[in-house]
Amino acid sequence: MTLLLGIVGALLGGWLGSVLFNVSLDEFWSLQTWLLAIGGSIIVLLIWGLIFGRKRV
């Protein structure tokens, strides 16, 4: 599940970066592209953890 959330976050981060900051995502090895993907993944994983975090028994 974490892998799928990371992929969704990377896509979301790239899309938001291109919409909000007008960042070109044409180059795969661009530092901006990687930072947006990593940032988006972290945000999605944090939101997932807050909603469906570990349940205490």
Side-chain angles (χ1 to χ4, degrees):
M1 190 62 183
T2 305
L3 178 67
L4 292 175
L5 289 172
I7 292 170
V8 168
L11 293 172
L12 180 66
W15 179 76
L16 283 175
S18 66
V19 170
L20 297 177
F21 304 118
N22 199 20
V23 174
S24 174
L25 300 176
D26 297 333
E27 184 98 16
F28 179 76
W29 294 110
S30 169
L31 182 62
Q32 292 174 339
T33 304
W34 281 91
L35 291 176
L36 287 171
I38 292 169
S41 297
I42 290 171
I43 290 170
V44 168
L45 288 170
L46 287 174
I47 291 172
W48 180 267
L50 290 173
I51 295 173
F52 298 104
R54 295 182 185 206
K55 308 246 189 279
R56 295 184 182 176
V57 176

